[in-house]
């Protein structure tokens, strides 16, 4: 049996999405900037993609910019937002547990003269609104807070943060990295005070290398790419029509049975966590003691530390059983460093080195969960005996 439980790293492209993209690539392959019929056809696919995201986000078509993925969306929001608003101040705020796409971009902005505050998180991986309020100053021009954390699935109080920021100064830009949150929670930028929202195609059963940046009407960004002036001069480069349309198709399919799918996902997560309760020395990171449901966290991520067993050892033991998971987060998995997120949450060193992330999709079955639990019941005692020797 093959069980893919690394859906936070990437997801399987749905066959309907692949078919749709194949038709665009092989038949309707025009450049939307061309004036002939092939160009017009291609433009219609882009229009469909923009309309789909505008509808889902309850925004406007002109607020949807297609990018090359979550990383570019984050870079565009932060670098574009910071440089375009430099005259208003040089202070930026984010959290200590952002994905490298935000964290490293903030580090870059520090080299460009910006000052960055990194908000701490509690044991559950959540920022405090009081800390946020205290951090905002006259100089603050942008705040970036992720919706759902990619390693532990903690959810930030985004709506409350948006309201707070706008109350303090409506001119401060509020960016949300929604790469892990989109499709797992309904995110409505306007209602939540979000000016900029990043989404990635490959986390929602769409293609890799395509993303969306929602840019609220009226928000000024300095473009990162210069060229032919596509996408209202914000993002030059020949439009990735199959990517944008494929990502929109994936989002449309996701929203077609959103509530049922989400309930199934939550059930899988709860069943898995309850199953872990039977194992000694296993901690679910980011859950309060005694919570074996995970109802307050993202429905698709469970981070587990197994005392006495190193992450890579368990990862490969599960791999032998056909079960694919991540040690920490995939993006930093090839550099075996303890997770900065878990460290910021105050997780003890021994547990940092034994963190494993299981991430589900709406296509994960209960049978797969049971198979994985059984593998853990079999392997963990054996690996612990081996470690002690
Ligand atoms: N932000 C978060 C929270 C992520 O989890 C990821 C990818 O794992 C990214 C940004 C980067 O997205 P992409 O892989 O599309 O560049």
């Amino acid at each position: 049996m093959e069980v893919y439980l690394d859906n936070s790293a990437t997801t399987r492209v749905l066959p309907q999405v692949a078919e749709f993209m194949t038709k665009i690539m092989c038949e309707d392959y025009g450049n939307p900037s061309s004036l002939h019929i092939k160009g017009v056809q291609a433009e219609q696919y882009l229009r469909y993609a923009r309309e789909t995201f505008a509808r889902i986000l309850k925004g406007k078509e002109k607020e949807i910019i297609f990018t090359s993925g979550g990383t570019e969306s984050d870079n565009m929001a932060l670098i574009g937002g910071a440089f375009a608003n430099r005259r208003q101040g040089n202070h930026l705020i984010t959290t200590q547990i952002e994905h490298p796409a935000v964290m490293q971009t903030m580090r870059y902005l520090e080299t460009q003269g910006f000052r960055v505050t990194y908000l701490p998180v509690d044991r559950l991986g959540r920022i405090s609104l009081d800390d946020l309020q205290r951090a905002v100053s006259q100089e603050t021009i942008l705040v970036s807070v992720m919706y759902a954390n990619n390693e532990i699935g903690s959810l930030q109080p985004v709506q409350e943060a948006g309201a707070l920021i706008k109350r303090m100064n409506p001119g401060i830009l509020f960016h949300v990295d929604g790469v892990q949150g989109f499709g797992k929670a309904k995110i409505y930028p306007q209602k939540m005070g979000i000016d900029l929202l990043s989404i990635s195609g490959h986390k929602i059963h769409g293609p890799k290398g395509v993303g969306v940046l929602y840019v609220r009407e009226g928000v000024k960004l300095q473009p990162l790419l210069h060229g032919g002036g596509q996408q209202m001069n914000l993002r030059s480069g020949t439009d990735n029509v199959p990517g944008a349309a494929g990502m929109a198709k994936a989002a449309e399919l996701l929203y077609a049975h959103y509530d049922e799918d989400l309930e199934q996902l939550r059930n899988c997560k709860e069943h898995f966590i309850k199953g872990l309760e039977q194992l000694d020395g296993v901690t679910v990171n980011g859950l309060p003691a005694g919570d074996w449901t995970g109802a307050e966290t993202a429905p698709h991520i469970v981070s587990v530390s197994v005392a006495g067993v190193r992450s890579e050892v368990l990862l490969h033991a599960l791999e032998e059983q056909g079960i694919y998971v991540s040690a920490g987060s995939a993006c930093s998995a090839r550099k075996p460093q303890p997770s900065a997120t878990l460290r910021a949450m105050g997780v003890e060193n021994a547990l940092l080195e034994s963190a494993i992330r299981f991430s589900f999709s709406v296509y994960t079955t209960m049978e797969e969960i049971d198979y994985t639990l059984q593998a853990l019941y079999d392997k963990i005692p054996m690996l612990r005996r081996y470690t002690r020797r």
Side-chain angles (χ1 to χ4, degrees):
M1 189 169 186
E2 190 177 277
V3 182
Y4 183 78
L5 298 183
D6 203 10
N7 289 281
S8 285
T10 199
T11 56
R12 175 171 65 93
V13 173
L14 291 175
Q16 298 96 309
V17 170
E19 275 162 34
F20 189 51
M21 291 178 68
T22 304
K23 177 172 186 310
I24 298 172
M25 288 188 284
C26 301
E27 294 170 29
D28 303 329
Y29 48 80
N31 183 331
S33 300
S34 297
L35 296 180
H36 48 70
I37 185 71
K38 280 283 198 210
V40 174
Q41 274 170 353
E43 176 61 32
Q44 279 163 359
Y45 284 109
L46 265 190
R47 186 86 202 267
Y48 152 77
R50 266 204 188 92
E51 271 169 12
T52 302
F53 280 102
R55 191 175 59 250
I56 288 176
L57 298 173
K58 296 196 198 285
K60 303 187 178 111
E61 280 172 53
K62 59 181 167 198
E63 295 177 321
I64 307 299
I65 303 294
F66 290 102
T67 66
S68 65
T71 301
E72 188 189 328
S73 295
D74 286 344
N75 272 259
M76 186 172 166
L78 304 183
I79 299 176
F83 280 104
N85 293 281
R86 205 167 198 175
R87 286 219 188 121
Q88 277 70 52
N90 77 335
H91 180 227
L92 316 168
I93 300 174
T94 189
T95 81
Q96 289 180 2
I97 63 164
E98 295 297 312
H99 184 275
V102 166
M103 200 56 104
Q104 295 307 321
T105 306
M106 287 294 190
R107 299 270 186 239
Y108 164 72
L109 286 168
E110 283 177 327
T111 70
Q112 301 302 302
F114 292 93
R115 188 169 65 79
V116 184
T117 300
Y118 299 89
L119 298 174
V121 292
D122 61 16
R123 287 287 300 190
L124 309 185
R126 286 170 58 104
I127 58 161
S128 108
L129 293 172
D130 287 344
D131 286 344
L132 173 59
Q133 183 163 7
R134 272 193 295 274
V136 173
S137 74
Q138 296 284 343
E139 289 291 303
T140 309
I141 51 170
L142 184 147
V143 177
S144 178
V145 174
M146 71 197 322
Y147 197 96
N149 179 270
N150 47 300
E151 291 182 47
I152 52 159
S154 60
L155 298 173
Q156 300 302 338
V158 163
Q159 187 157 354
E160 295 82 346
L164 173 70
I165 294 162
K166 296 296 164 183
R167 214 168 41 240
M168 293 183 78
N169 175 359
I172 297 176
L173 291 182
F174 185 33
H175 168 248
V176 171
D177 178 339
V179 169
Q180 296 291 343
F182 180 80
K184 309 297 185 317
K186 288 192 176 158
I187 308 179
Y188 300 122
Q190 224 195 345
K191 186 173 148 208
M192 298 178 162
I194 300 171
D195 298 301
L196 299 157
L197 174 73
S198 305
I199 311 176
S200 173
H202 72 107
K203 311 287 185 183
I204 57 164
H205 301 280
K208 293 176 181 54
V210 62
V212 160
L213 180 66
Y214 162 90
V215 182
R216 188 176 56 73
E217 190 178 9
V219 166
K220 297 270 170 298
L221 292 185
Q222 187 170 299
L224 298 184
L225 302 184
H226 303 274
Q230 286 89 344
Q231 305 205 70
M232 294 166 296
N233 261 326
L234 266 179
R235 208 278 183 176
S236 284
T238 300
D239 301 283
N240 175 2
V241 182
M247 179 177 173
K249 178 63 77 187
E252 190 186 329
L253 293 167
L254 189 84
Y255 271 74
H257 359 82
Y258 188 93
D259 293 328
E260 306 92 276
D261 284 357
L262 220 65
E263 195 181 321
Q264 147 82 4
L265 193 55
R266 282 231 166 268
N267 288 341
C268 274
K269 174 165 170 168
E270 193 173 327
H271 184 65
F272 182 65
I273 296 178
K274 287 222 167 88
L276 293 175
E277 202 180 352
Q278 298 182 25
L279 282 161
D280 286 333
V282 168
T283 316
V284 182
N285 298 306
L287 291 195
D291 176 0
W292 293 95
T293 65
E296 302 296 314
T297 55
H300 62 309
I301 299 177
V302 180
S303 165
V304 178
S305 283
V306 181
V309 184
R310 288 181 69 85
S311 312
E312 313 86 78
V313 175
L314 184 53
L315 185 147
H316 291 303
L318 290 173
E319 185 180 21
E320 278 171 17
Q321 303 279 114
I323 301 165
Y324 304 115
V325 300
S326 255
S329 77
C331 308
S332 48
R334 294 207 179 267
K335 302 174 255 159
Q337 283 166 358
S339 143
T341 296
L342 295 177
R343 183 159 277 164
M345 288 162 57
V347 172
E348 305 71 44
N349 276 348
L351 295 184
L352 283 183
E353 290 171 358
S354 63
I356 286 274
R357 179 186 68 184
F358 298 85
S359 49
F360 313 124
S361 88
V362 293
Y363 302 101
T364 304
T365 63
M366 284 292 183
E367 192 193 355
E368 290 173 338
I369 300 280
D370 284 333
Y371 176 79
T372 305
L373 283 169
Q374 193 54 53
L376 291 171
Y377 299 153
D378 295 343
K379 297 272 174 181
I380 290 176
M382 204 179 73
L383 293 173
R384 279 204 183 115
R385 271 200 301 277
Y386 181 76
T387 312
R388 271 200 291 270
R389 243 188 274 150

